[in-house]
Amino acid sequence: MNEEQDQAARVQQAAGVLADALRHASGLPSGLSTVRLAVDLRQVADEALASAVRRARASGHTWQELGDTLNTTRQAAFQRFGRPAGATAIDPATGLAMTEVLLPGAAERALAVFAALFDGRDEEVAADFDETMRAQLPLPKLGEVRAQLDGLIGRFERAGEPFARVVGTYTVVDVPLAFEAGEMNGRVSYDRDGRISGLFVLLPQAV
């Protein structure tokens, strides 16, 4: 059995087990077992996605095409899939090798931040701000940012797949944001303690 066949078999098995568990969920004593099965499926699906991206690149597709397909930017697609397995990350500030330690749950937290921002729940957005952010971006300014974006590119519609990475001592999460009249890129930076030290809505080419 080659690598592709082995991968296909693992995806099929994980999907089948999860589907069976969901069909019989009402008879389970706890939903945690189903959550674990879903996590297992996500892991093998992520591995399959990485293999599919490598094959697409080998057949000549660009990072822009892949970014469009993945509903993210070409930079985020490259950062997620472009570095060979086992390659050492480099701290852009020092040029030295560094160990990547992402803040756990950063991607999900960033999605929640932008959901709260565009839903008008400003106190929730600012709940994890560090001292500098609280001073530079008080609650009234969050409302002003939302109004400016609404005037420029219309109503917020949806968020794409977040991409988290380590930059120096920070975990930075980029989130593609779709509006009525265009696309933007949301960015949240977290310090080592999980506090928000940066919050931006950028043009995609500024990523």
Side-chain angles (χ1 to χ4, degrees):
M1 181 182 294
N2 61 31
E3 181 182 352
E4 287 80 6
Q5 291 172 330
D6 177 65
Q7 198 168 63
R10 288 189 290 116
V11 171
Q12 185 176 28
Q13 180 181 12
V17 172
L18 176 59
D20 187 61
L22 290 172
R23 279 194 293 268
H24 302 90
S26 60
L28 294 175
S30 169
L32 286 179
S33 58
T34 309
V35 172
R36 294 189 190 99
L37 292 173
V39 170
D40 290 342
L41 176 59
R42 180 174 181 175
Q43 181 176 349
V44 295
D46 283 346
E47 293 171 1
L49 176 58
S51 295
V53 169
R54 288 195 296 271
R55 289 195 295 272
R57 285 288 297 159
S59 64
H61 290 286
T62 66
W63 286 113
Q64 182 63 61
E65 290 176 308
L66 285 163
D68 292 343
T69 302
L70 294 165
N71 194 28
T72 189
T73 64
R74 66 180 186 276
Q75 293 94 336
F78 175 78
Q79 288 164 349
R80 179 174 178 183
F81 299 106
R83 194 170 65 228
T88 302
I90 302 299
D91 188 329
T94 65
L96 301 176
M98 59 179 284
T99 301
E100 290 194 12
V101 182
L102 289 171
L103 179 71
E108 292 76 13
R109 287 179 60 184
L111 282 174
V113 166
F114 286 111
L117 175 63
F118 294 114
D119 197 36
R121 292 177 278 123
D122 294 339
E123 290 187 2
E124 187 174 332
V125 175
D128 291 329
F129 279 5
D130 65 13
E131 291 78 7
T132 301
M133 284 292 294
R134 288 183 181 278
Q136 294 182 347
L137 199 59
L139 295 183
K141 279 198 174 182
L142 287 173
E144 292 174 11
V145 169
R146 190 166 46 249
Q148 290 172 355
L149 288 170
D150 187 71
L152 287 172
I153 50 179
R155 180 176 53 85
F156 171 71
E157 294 184 336
R158 65 185 180 280
E161 182 181 359
F163 172 72
R165 66 191 187 282
V166 172
V167 179
T169 60
Y170 297 90
T171 293
V172 178
V173 185
D174 285 333
V175 181
L177 303 173
F179 296 82
E180 286 181 288
E183 307 289 327
M184 301 291 278
N185 185 75
R187 176 172 292 169
V188 186
S189 298
Y190 293 97
D191 64 18
R192 288 174 172 171
D193 297 321
R195 297 174 301 179
I196 295 176
S197 58
L199 178 63
F200 309 93
V201 177
L202 308 165
L203 292 170
Q205 57 266 34
V207 176

